Amino acid sequence: MRTRPVVMGLRPVALIAICALLLTGCAAGQERTPGQIRLRFQSLAWQKESVDANEQLVQEWNARHPDIQVDYVQGSWDSVHDQLLTSFEGGEAPDIIHDASDDLADFAYGGYLADLRELLPQRLRSDIPERSWETVTFGRGVYGVPFLQEPRVLMAHQDILSAAGVRMPTVERPWSWAEFRQVSKQITASMGRGKYAVAWPLKEPVSVTLNLGLSAGGRLFHRRGEDSNKVEVDFAAADGVVPRTIHDQVNEDRTASRTALGMGGSDALPGFFGGKYAMVPLGFSYRQQIVQQAPPGFSWTVLPMPVGAAGAVQGVSPQTLSVAQDSPHKREAMRFIDHLLQPANMVRLARGDWMLPTGLSALADPSLRVRRYGWAVGAELARGLRSAPAQSVRGYPEWKDKVATPAYQEYYSGAIDLDELRERLVEDGNLVLARYQR
């Protein structure tokens, strides 16, 4: 997902962005005709294909519904949390809100978002699997419609892997984490000095580690009672499988680049194109950048991530569409969301963002099942996507920023061992979470 850590304090750049968004919203509006309802839809689409798809769908709705007009407002992933918080508190929130499920908890518990249970059309409720609805369920309410998602995959240099003679993993028979470590040794040995089988771009290591950890049975966060909002951190053996693999590749095997640990996903692509790295674990949507930026003749493929004892499952935080609690036109807003997420339209949105739809009807579309660019691999992996472990944990943003991010970064670099990582995540982490759960 293209979200950023949740930060409650407003920064100067966020204030500038908020002002710009409010001006954009005013500019997008038109004169209201008598009896006409006007809705504001704030979209976070940013790639041209995605923006075009969203704007076209708004235009199609407006052409068919002269009595319910929608104004398109362009938002930004970089400042969305601060901007929404200010707009909620100021009574200026958009009617329809594009965000990500891992950003919704504070807004849902704070009463800023409408509970959609009585508004959702049955078609939409049944077409999106329950595992996706879990990502937007807080307490007993449903506070968003999950519509786009992406698994993490291995972007692989096909020629390098072929030259190394390793077994190529498939969705049906992926590498285990242990096999991945062994294969990485074989690939690195075949590449030559100064080159690595893997680059782990872990500038933001927490969600990657937790989401991939589900495949090994890791959960890290545990609730006290089925319906309790009380959550504690407990680091079991399964929670250490993925961190230990990454740590050992970097510090013991020397099969993963140390410098890549501080990179974002895009930062690792030049080294991937240049043959310095044979594989880079990235979100599925990074395929677009590879298609656009790779040198002519570059041979690459999409492989499934390694799996552990729990199988090919990953945590995910889908993109969502919510309705503001203060909106006077909640039913009309949901009608527009239903329009956006008709199966054919959901396919248009997914292809525009190079992601996968949550809806089963859209996911079955033949255009998302082709082998080119790894679409078919992603579509098969969608079956294993689950709610991210920290999805509804209050206090998670602070835990992530103040405790988990520095702890994982120090562990992956070799500065601390696994015991100290466990101690900091659990002991320091539970002190943070306790303040939010009194």
Side-chain angles (χ1 to χ4, degrees), residues 406-421:
Y408 278 120
Q409 287 174 337
E410 290 178 44
Y411 175 64
Y412 289 144
S413 71
I416 62 174
D417 61 16
L418 190 63
D419 287 338
E420 185 166 349
L421 172 68

Side-chain angles (χ1 to χ4, degrees), residues 215-247:
S215 74
R219 290 295 308 179
L220 204 65
F221 295 100
H222 300 270
R223 295 189 178 278
R224 301 176 190 159
E226 185 176 346
D227 297 324
S228 175
N229 288 328
K230 300 288 186 181
V231 179
E232 289 184 343
V233 181
D234 182 19
F235 193 99
D239 296 300
V241 172
V242 171
R244 188 184 299 112
T245 299
I246 299 171
H247 171 275

